[in-house]
């Protein structure tokens, strides 16, 4: 009966949470390093009675963790047994997270409902601080008070490799690192049209063992012992097109490979296929021209030999030779 009541209040929270009024919000998000046992702080700055604490991850609106003083804690399926409410103080809604992966990177919102002070929210941004900053980031963003970087546009990206695949075909996107150093970690990212880069696979060495993390909702990510990373796509669809990027962290620095995938419908127009047809047509025309020249040369040579033979004949035989011709 108690379990039914807990489930009941949790669903009630999910229904009414979007309508809760936000009275006070912490302006700047706190940055936390992605690491095992990381703590996402959420301590309400005033005293009162805590009614409820909820954590959500952007852009999802469904809470990943909820605490209620009477009914206890509840967690989403993906975060079950990974999140713990610390409760170091009566108004503390901080959590700790274990078994972390790169999928935990992002912005988290903590909402604390209090009485009589009302609601208070704060934001925590989890980043992999061991990663180099993205190209195009500079200090101007921080000086202007904004911590938002513009998404890269396809026009500003240069592809190292260009691939063309037909719809419904199978394809493997390979990012083979040129081994000029020891590779510690390889990240595979994808940039859908109009969206920022998103991690879809990680290959890394942990205590001498190969560890692979597959976050792709399309295909399968595989890791080699050399930390070369591949994405295997079965039944390619139009949404698979776009940019893919592999970032290798090595003792010689960071190496990046960018792949542009173009998907065409069977029988549809493709610039690459069009150019291939042009090359094939030009090759056939060139071969035909060579054959014509060769035939004309052979005929001219035969004609010359006949003329030479006619000249060598005796005058009495030339008349017979003309009649034979």
């Amino acid at each position: 009966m108690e379990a039914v009541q807990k489930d009941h209040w949790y669903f009630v929270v999910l229904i009414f949470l979007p309508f809760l009024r936000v009275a006070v919000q912490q302006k700047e998000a706190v940055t936390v390093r992605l690491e095992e046992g990381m703590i996402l702080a959420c301590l309400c700055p005033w005293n009162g009675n805590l009614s409820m604490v909820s954590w959500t991850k952007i852009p999802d609106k469904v809470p990943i963790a909820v605490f209620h003083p009477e009914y206890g804690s509840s967690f989403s399926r993906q975060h079950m047994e990974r999140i713990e409410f610390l409760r170091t103080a009566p108004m503390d809604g901080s959590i700790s997270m274990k078994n972390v992966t790169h999928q935990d990177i992002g912005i988290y919102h903590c909402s604390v409902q209090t009485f009589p002070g009302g609601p208070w929210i704060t934001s925590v941004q989890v980043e992999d601080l061991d990663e180099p900053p993205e190209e195009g980031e500079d200090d101007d963003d921080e000086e202007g008070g904004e911590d938002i970087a513009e998404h890269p546009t396809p026009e500003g990206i240069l592809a190292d490799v260009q691939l063309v695949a037909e719809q419904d075909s199978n394809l493997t996107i390979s990012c083979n690192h040129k081994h000029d150093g020891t590779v510690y970690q390889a990240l595979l990212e994808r940039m859908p049209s109009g969206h920022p880069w998103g991690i879809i696979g990680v290959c890394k060495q942990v205590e001498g063992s190969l560890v692979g993390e597959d976050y792709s909702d399309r295909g399968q990510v595989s890791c080699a012992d050399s930390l070369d990373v591949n994405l295997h796509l079965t039944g390619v669809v139009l949404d698979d097109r776009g940019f893919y990027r592999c970032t290798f962290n090595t003792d010689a620095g960071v190496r990046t490979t960018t792949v542009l995938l173009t998907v065409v419908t069977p029988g549809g127009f493709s610039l690459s296929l069009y150019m291939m047809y042009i090359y094939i047509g030009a090759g056939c025309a060139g071969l035909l021209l060579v054959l014509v020249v060769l035939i004309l040369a052979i005929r001219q040579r035969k004609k010359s030999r006949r003329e030479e033979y006619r000249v060598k004949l005796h005058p009495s035989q030339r008349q017979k030779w003309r009649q034979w011709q």
Side-chain angles (χ1 to χ4, degrees):
M1 183 65 181
E2 182 180 356
V4 174
Q5 291 179 347
K6 288 185 177 181
D7 291 340
H8 175 72
W9 77 260
Y10 179 65
F11 284 110
V12 171
V13 168
L14 298 185
I15 295 174
F16 288 98
L17 184 62
F19 302 97
L20 294 176
R21 179 178 58 89
V22 177
V24 180
Q25 178 177 0
Q26 182 173 314
K27 294 183 179 180
E28 296 182 359
V30 178
T31 301
V32 174
R33 179 192 297 271
L34 177 70
E35 58 185 358
E36 183 66 17
M38 62 182 181
I39 295 177
L40 279 60
C42 180
L43 180 61
C44 183
W46 58 73
N47 296 324
N49 295 322
L50 187 145
S51 303
M52 185 179 66
V53 179
S54 64
W55 282 90
T56 57
K57 183 181 179 184
I58 302 301
D60 299 330
K61 296 182 179 180
V62 178
I64 62 173
V66 177
F67 172 80
H68 191 278
E70 181 180 354
Y71 298 108
S73 303
S74 182
F75 307 97
S76 66
R77 182 178 60 85
Q78 294 85 352
H79 299 84
M80 191 76 65
E81 299 182 354
R82 295 181 54 220
I83 292 180
E84 179 183 0
F85 280 95
L86 300 181
R87 303 291 299 144
T88 59
M91 306 297 286
D92 186 16
S94 304
I95 59 175
S96 65
M97 189 177 298
K98 62 182 180 180
N99 297 330
V100 298
T101 67
H102 282 79
Q103 206 167 14
D104 295 321
I105 294 175
I107 299 178
Y108 296 80
H109 284 179
C110 174
S111 175
V112 181
Q113 306 297 323
T114 70
F115 180 85
W120 177 81
I121 67 172
T122 185
S123 299
V124 179
Q125 183 168 356
V126 177
E127 296 181 353
D128 189 351
L129 299 181
D130 295 329
E131 292 298 313
E134 295 288 343
E135 295 181 2
E137 288 186 1
D138 48 36
D139 297 335
D140 294 340
D141 295 336
E142 297 180 0
E143 294 175 359
E146 296 289 335
D147 194 21
I148 302 176
E150 293 184 357
H151 300 330
T153 58
E155 291 77 9
I157 300 177
L158 297 178
D160 301 305
V161 179
Q162 296 188 20
L163 301 176
V164 178
E166 282 193 355
Q167 192 175 4
D168 297 328
S169 64
N170 299 331
L171 176 70
T172 297
I173 300 176
S174 301
C175 291
N176 298 324
H177 171 62
K178 296 181 180 179
H179 301 283
D180 53 356
T182 302
V183 183
Y184 300 108
Q185 179 177 267
L187 297 178
L188 177 58
E189 301 169 278
R190 178 174 181 254
M191 188 182 75
S193 178
H195 294 78
W197 289 102
I199 298 176
I200 60 176
V202 180
C203 301
K204 57 185 177 181
Q205 291 285 351
V206 178
E207 297 180 354
S209 300
L210 178 63
V211 177
E213 301 173 4
D214 187 354
Y215 308 131
S216 175
D217 55 355
R218 283 282 303 137
Q220 182 179 5
V221 177
S222 64
C223 303
D225 293 335
S226 57
L227 289 188
D228 289 335
V229 57
N230 301 309
L231 174 63
H232 307 281
L233 295 175
T234 302
V236 173
V237 297
L238 292 176
D239 288 341
D240 292 327
R241 60 190 173 186
F243 286 93
Y244 295 80
R245 180 173 65 186
C246 298
T247 302
F248 299 92
N249 294 325
T250 74
D251 55 1
V254 178
R255 302 290 184 266
T256 302
T257 301
T258 304
V259 179
L260 173 60
L261 173 60
T262 302
V263 178
V264 298
T265 56
F269 175 79
S270 169
L271 181 59
S272 300
L273 294 176
Y274 179 70
M275 294 303 297
M276 182 182 68
Y277 294 149
I278 291 179
Y279 294 147
I280 293 176
C284 293
L287 180 60
L288 181 61
L289 179 61
V290 171
L291 291 176
V292 171
V293 173
L294 183 61
I295 292 174
L296 292 177
I298 293 175
R299 294 182 62 180
Q300 183 63 30
R301 187 174 181 180
K302 288 183 177 180
K303 184 176 180 180
S304 299
R305 287 184 176 180
R306 290 175 181 175
E307 185 64 24
E308 291 176 358
Y309 178 75
R310 185 184 66 81
V311 171
K312 293 179 179 180
L313 291 176
H314 189 271
S316 61
Q317 295 178 331
R318 292 179 186 175
Q319 185 66 25
K320 295 181 179 180
W321 186 81
R322 288 195 187 98
Q323 294 177 354
W324 178 78
Q325 289 291 325

